[in-house]
Amino acid sequence: LDDLLAQVDGLEVETSAGTRTLDTLDIEPRRFGKNILELFLEVISDPNVSFILLTLGGLGLVIELFNPGLIAPGVVGTICLLLAFLAAGNLPVNWAGVVFVLLAVVLAIIETQVLGFGILGVGSIISFVLGGLLLFSQFGDKSPTLPEVSVNLWLLGGMAAILGLVLLYVVRTIYRSRMATPESTGPALLGASGVVAIDLAPRGRVRFGDETWTAVSQDGTV
């Protein structure tokens, strides 16, 4: 900055008030630091941080749906997603990439609900990787004002592996639970007391011990 001020000193410029000569040697530069909010936005606007927030947000929602009532994963996941979208305002986001990442989350959620035996899980991981690759990709004429950024490939691979492991754990847990449930469990639950996990309106879910069952209320919303 000091070198620039020295170079423009004495330069004549045309203004609306006529020709003026710049006198910059005696100028005292004033530097303004970033406030806490600006520093925070700078951190989350890193493409890798933004991608992690988007991924953690999706995983939080998956965990919350797999374990209704935990609350914390859903809250944290929602906050992470909101921060990711906030960061997207400062980045050259390709919204097709965002759609692929969100599609990966949706497929993961469906996998945990219908037990697709891995097919939906594989589709989720493929969609996730494509989303990460496309998230900050620019096609056509690139804007000279937008920086060229991308998600680190090692980070993308690591997050895809984490997603795969989470889905594998969820699917195996559900499958083992269903296989281990004796046929006589239904009658054994008659008259038992449980906890409503998802409101019965009239269909919902109730929890008996370590098991979660779909139930239909005969007395309206519970």
Side-chain angles (χ1 to χ4, degrees):
L1 179 60
D2 293 334
D3 182 59
L4 176 62
L5 292 175
Q7 292 181 36
V8 299
D9 183 62
L11 183 68
E12 293 185 351
V13 295
E14 293 293 335
T15 68
S16 58
T19 302
R20 293 290 185 269
T21 301
L22 298 180
D23 181 10
T24 58
L25 288 181
D26 298 327
I27 291 179
E28 289 291 337
R30 297 177 60 188
R31 293 176 171 82
F32 297 90
K34 299 178 180 178
N35 57 39
I36 296 178
L37 178 59
E38 291 172 333
L39 291 173
F40 176 72
L41 290 176
E42 183 179 3
V43 171
I44 66 173
S45 294
D46 181 281
N48 295 314
V49 175
S50 177
F51 180 68
I52 291 175
L53 288 172
L54 189 62
T55 304
L56 292 179
L59 287 176
L61 295 183
V62 171
I63 294 174
E64 178 65 32
L65 289 175
F66 179 58
N67 297 281
L70 288 182
I71 300 178
V75 172
V76 173
T78 301
I79 292 175
C80 287
L81 284 178
L82 291 176
L83 290 176
F85 287 127
L86 175 63
N90 299 319
L91 293 168
V93 175
N94 184 331
W95 290 102
V98 175
V99 171
F100 270 112
V101 173
L102 295 181
L103 175 61
V105 173
V106 172
L107 291 176
I109 293 174
I110 296 176
E111 176 70 73
T112 64
Q113 299 299 313
V114 304
L115 193 59
F117 297 99
I119 297 177
L120 295 174
V122 172
S124 174
I125 295 174
I126 293 175
S127 179
F128 181 77
V129 173
L130 288 175
L133 293 175
L134 295 174
L135 192 57
F136 302 111
S137 298
Q138 301 181 49
F139 300 100
D141 296 332
K142 297 183 179 179
S143 172
T145 61
L146 293 177
E148 292 189 20
V149 295
S150 62
V151 177
N152 184 281
L153 294 180
W154 287 103
L155 174 64
L156 176 59
M159 299 301 288
I162 292 175
L163 176 62
L165 291 175
V166 170
L167 284 176
L168 179 62
Y169 167 76
V170 170
V171 172
R172 289 186 62 184
T173 301
I174 295 176
Y175 182 74
R176 288 180 177 179
S177 175
R178 292 183 179 180
M179 293 298 293
T181 302
E183 295 182 358
S184 60
T185 300
L189 293 177
L190 292 176
S193 298
V195 178
V196 175
I198 298 179
D199 291 346
L200 306 180
R203 178 180 295 274
R205 290 195 175 189
V206 294
R207 188 186 300 276
F208 293 94
D210 296 331
E211 299 179 354
T212 301
W213 289 77
T214 299
V216 178
S217 171
Q218 296 180 345
D219 301 319
T221 302
V222 178

